[in-house]
Amino acid sequence: MSASAVLTRTAPLYQRVASVIPAIEWPVFADDIDAILALKRERNAVILAHNYMTPEIFHCVADIVGDSLALAREAMKVDADVIVLAGVHFMAETAKMLNPAKTVLIPDLEAGCSLAASITAADVRLMRARYPGVPVVTYVNSSAAVKAESDICCTSANAQKIVESLGSDTVIMLPDEYLAQNVAAKTHVKIFAWAGHCEVHERFTAAEVRALRADHPGVTILAHPECPPSVIAEADYTGSTADMSNYVGREKPARVVLLTECSMADNVAVHHPDVDFVRPCNLCPHMKRITLPKIRRTLETLRHEVTIDPALAIRARQAVERMLAV
Ligand code: 13P
Ligand code: SF4
């Protein structure tokens, strides 16, 4: 197919992202986007993309976008044969355990997560031994093996609700220490945490937030709950990636900062040309492993398939399903 035919066909897609992708860069993306759209039809595949995907993925090839909670819910409903998870490995595992009959592919097997890497199933068993009888709430940013040792999962969108749903005075909350501390600040439930951190959000500081306010008078500051409590205390609002996006749509702040991964602001800004986005941000090296050429290759080769040991998958799925039922 000639390059000019591809550019003509993809021109309407470029209009979606023209505010965040310079026109001179578009030809670099157009060929892969065109091929991916054709391959999706050929393979009967859908692409689920997390809010941290770059705009050319998020706005131009994804079928379903959202935070971890939305992607889990939507993965369950997918009817197509193939799910390509444009996100990190734990998200692909979650999709596989919730919809095991589907072929779940991840474009780069190395797309991990510092939180998921911070804890093993044996660590969870040790925590149980240390706090006998205390229920274990596990953040979805964890491996299937860790989920399988847990009573229930949570995401950044529902963590407090899940903790309080258990009717227990104490819970073990794994593996994100800051998420646990941020929930503990809002609930009467006593929380025993694990010392895992998100390598992206732990880098934000309270001093940085104060400097942003001084430099940008009137700015509204939204923070992800994986940020340290000292940062959350300085922010105007805390929520999951979807919550932050919804906040901008609902409140339409004149000027806003999203204390989270860099692509979030680009993706939200596309829908809100009137909002001024101040963009201090940190890149997630794992999310950034997912690129258009790798998505294309995944659909061409049907690699890398994400599988879970069936016995483990049943137990991990129970923890996720308990969360979805709350
Ligand atoms: P959300 O569930 O808020 O999208 O967060 C996922 C994540 O990895 C944040 O770093
Ligand atoms: Fe994990 Fe943090 Fe990257 Fe999210 S942003 S995938 S929590 S390392």
Side-chain angles (χ1 to χ4, degrees), residues 52 88 90 112-115 141 198-201 226 261 284 286-287:
Y52 293 163
V88 292
F90 76 80
C113 168
S114 65
L115 281 167
N141 296 42
C198 162
E199 67 188 85
V200 176
H201 292 92
E226 291 169 6
E261 211 273 343
C284 174
H286 311 288
M287 291 281 183

Side-chain angles (χ1 to χ4, degrees), residues 182-204:
N182 291 326
V183 171
K186 294 191 286 184
T187 182
H188 61 277
V189 180
K190 183 168 172 51
I191 297 179
F192 302 115
W194 184 255
H197 299 130
C198 162
E199 67 188 85
V200 176
H201 292 92
E202 72 175 351
R203 301 212 299 271
F204 292 108

Side-chain angles (χ1 to χ4, degrees), residues 26-303:
W26 184 248
V28 175
F29 300 130
D31 189 54
D32 284 330
I33 290 174
D34 198 50
I36 288 168
L37 297 181
L39 282 160
K40 281 201 298 181
R41 288 190 291 274
E42 205 178 294
R43 298 294 198 187
N44 189 21
V46 293
I47 298 180
L48 270 58
H50 185 260
N51 290 328
Y52 293 163
M53 289 296 104
T54 46
E56 70 279 4
I57 296 175
F58 188 89
H59 290 288
C60 301
V61 299
D63 299 286
I64 295 162
V65 295
D67 64 0
S68 308
L69 182 60
L71 295 182
R73 285 194 195 286
E74 294 299 325
M76 269 174 109
K77 299 184 211 154
V78 167
D79 212 21
D81 297 325
V82 175
I83 297 173
V84 175
L85 204 306
V88 292
H89 192 262
F90 76 80
M91 296 175 177
E93 269 192 339
T94 305
K96 180 67 184 177
M97 69 183 75
L98 291 173
N99 205 338
K102 306 300 175 189
T103 300
V104 176
L105 304 172
I106 187 160
D108 188 328
L109 270 176
E110 300 294 313
C113 168
S114 65
L115 281 167
S118 75
I119 189 163
T120 65
D123 293 327
V124 185
R125 290 193 290 271
L126 281 173
M127 286 294 272
R128 280 200 192 275
R130 188 162 169 198
Y131 302 107
V134 178
V136 175
V137 178
T138 294
Y139 193 30
V140 285
N141 296 42
S142 55
S143 66
V146 164
K147 288 184 178 77
E149 296 291 336
S150 311
D151 294 296
I152 190 165
C153 285
C154 75
T155 74
S156 58
N158 60 19
Q160 183 182 352
K161 191 161 109 182
I162 298 293
V163 163
E164 292 176 352
S165 74
L166 298 173
S168 174
D169 293 340
T170 50
V171 303
I172 297 167
M173 200 172 169
L174 312 166
D176 188 343
E177 183 175 33
Y178 295 149
L179 178 67
Q181 290 172 346
N182 291 326
V183 171
K186 294 191 286 184
T187 182
H188 61 277
V189 180
K190 183 168 172 51
I191 297 179
F192 302 115
W194 184 255
H197 299 130
C198 162
E199 67 188 85
V200 176
H201 292 92
E202 72 175 351
R203 301 212 299 271
F204 292 108
T205 65
E208 194 178 350
V209 182
R210 288 194 290 274
L212 281 164
R213 282 204 198 281
D215 293 348
H216 305 281
V219 73
T220 300
I221 298 182
L222 316 186
H224 195 275
E226 291 169 6
C227 292
S230 57
V231 169
I232 300 299
E234 298 279 347
D236 298 303
Y237 175 82
T238 304
S240 77
T241 56
D243 292 336
M244 286 192 266
S245 176
N246 292 338
Y247 181 101
V248 174
R250 194 175 60 241
E251 305 294 331
K252 305 217 181 313
R255 186 178 266 188
V256 73
V257 165
L258 309 182
L259 293 177
T260 190
E261 211 273 343
C262 299
S263 293
M264 252 310 276
D266 287 342
N267 290 333
V268 181
V270 162
H271 296 300
H272 303 288
D274 298 339
V275 177
D276 176 18
F277 286 78
V278 181
R279 299 174 193 230
C281 66
N282 291 325
L283 276 172
C284 174
H286 311 288
M287 291 281 183
K288 266 34 234 191
R289 282 181 175 274
I290 309 301
T291 61
L292 283 177
K294 287 184 193 170
I295 294 174
R296 179 177 181 170
R297 204 151 55 241
T298 286
L299 284 163
E300 283 166 352
T301 61
L302 296 183
R303 290 181 64 225

